[in-house]
Amino acid sequence: KAGVTQTPRYLIKTRGQQVTLSCSPISGHRSVSWYQQTPGQGLQFLFEYFSETQRNKGNFPGRFSGRQFSNSRSEMNVSTLELGDSALYLCASSPRGQAYEQYFGPGTRLTVT
Amino acid sequence: KQEVTQIPAALSVPEGENLVLNCSFTDSAIYNLQWFRQDPGKGLTSLLLIQSSQREQTSGRLNASLDKSSGRSTLYIAASQPGDSATYLCAVREGGGADGLTFGKGTHLIIQP
């Protein structure tokens, strides 16, 4: 069974631009969560989607948003990029929700210049 | 607010040794706890998931224990190998399973050949 895939793997953007990251969960998994990883803050929870509905959200500004499609694929959008948004963005999927084991993708490395 | 601490932050041991990684959390009302490993520049690989009602889980050379009342978990690695070199992350889930994972900063482990 294929693992969680994320595209693109690397991205360079300029301050003020917006970016969209994509995540395809493991086949059959309906829950997708997003995390931001930085050297200073470590791994922080962004939000979780289950059956196309956002179920939970971490403590991030409204510039960070996401959505989930009927095939469980998810996208994350960051608008008006700031230098501090440079991070590894990780997506995780699980069969039925957050309470179950999370399987992570390889991440998208975003650099904001 | 839940805080997860991992000690030590870094560890270097010769191949073949048994070792213990520690994780502590401030709020004992967790739903479950998950151990991951992360290789440089990569995503997270799930190692073990312990539900709040369980005391330990085992997978091969790995054994994770959970003492919810004292807010502690340990990851025991038997007969360490150079391939075990990675960063090990501990994460807890609260909110009846609905919240996102709260991660520790990790233990960077180096196994010397």
Side-chain angles (χ1 to χ4, degrees), chain B residues 23-85:
Chain B
C23 170
S24 62
F25 43 95
T26 54
D27 188 340
S28 62
I30 64 168
Y31 190 82
N32 59 34
L33 183 146
Q34 198 165 353
W35 282 93
F36 298 89
R37 69 173 279 169
Q38 186 174 31
D39 294 282
K42 304 283 183 66
L44 276 61
T45 300
S46 176
L47 298 173
L48 291 162
L49 171 70
I50 309 178
Q51 301 295 347
S52 61
S53 58
Q54 298 175 316
R55 294 300 299 262
E56 65 177 338
Q57 282 284 350
T58 298
S59 176
R61 295 182 295 107
L62 305 178
N63 175 277
S65 68
L66 174 64
D67 184 343
K68 227 176 65 161
S69 61
S70 67
R72 293 181 184 176
S73 176
T74 61
L75 179 68
Y76 175 83
I77 303 176
S80 58
Q81 304 171 356
D84 295 330
S85 298

Side-chain angles (χ1 to χ4, degrees), chain A:
Chain A
K1 194 183 262 191
V4 178
T5 59
Q6 293 187 244
T7 57
R9 294 293 312 280
Y10 303 91
L11 205 49
I12 300 175
K13 290 287 189 179
T14 304
R15 267 183 308 175
Q17 288 185 316
Q18 75 165 17
V19 67
T20 299
L21 312 182
S22 180
C23 171
S24 292
I26 292 171
S27 178
H29 285 194
R30 295 167 61 191
S31 168
V32 174
S33 299
W34 289 88
Y35 292 82
Q36 181 196 64
Q37 186 176 30
T38 60
Q41 298 298 316
L43 273 151
Q44 294 182 285
F45 171 70
L46 281 157
F47 30 65
E48 184 222 358
Y49 286 87
F50 184 84
S51 294
E52 302 179 64
T53 301
Q54 186 182 89
R55 292 209 303 190
N56 207 346
K57 190 177 193 308
N59 189 24
F60 277 82
R63 300 186 297 107
F64 292 82
S65 63
R67 59 178 176 168
Q68 186 180 34
F69 302 95
S70 59
N71 61 359
S72 294
R73 189 177 70 87
S74 177
E75 288 183 345
M76 190 192 99
N77 184 274
V78 187
S79 62
T80 320
L81 284 166
E82 300 177 359
L83 295 178
D85 297 332
S86 295
L88 180 66
Y89 289 88
L90 293 162
C91 161
S93 77
S94 73
R96 280 169 281 177
Q98 290 269 39
Y100 296 85
E101 191 168 2
Q102 301 281 297
Y103 297 87
F104 280 78
T108 293
R109 173 74 63 184
L110 172 65
T111 301
V112 182
T113 62

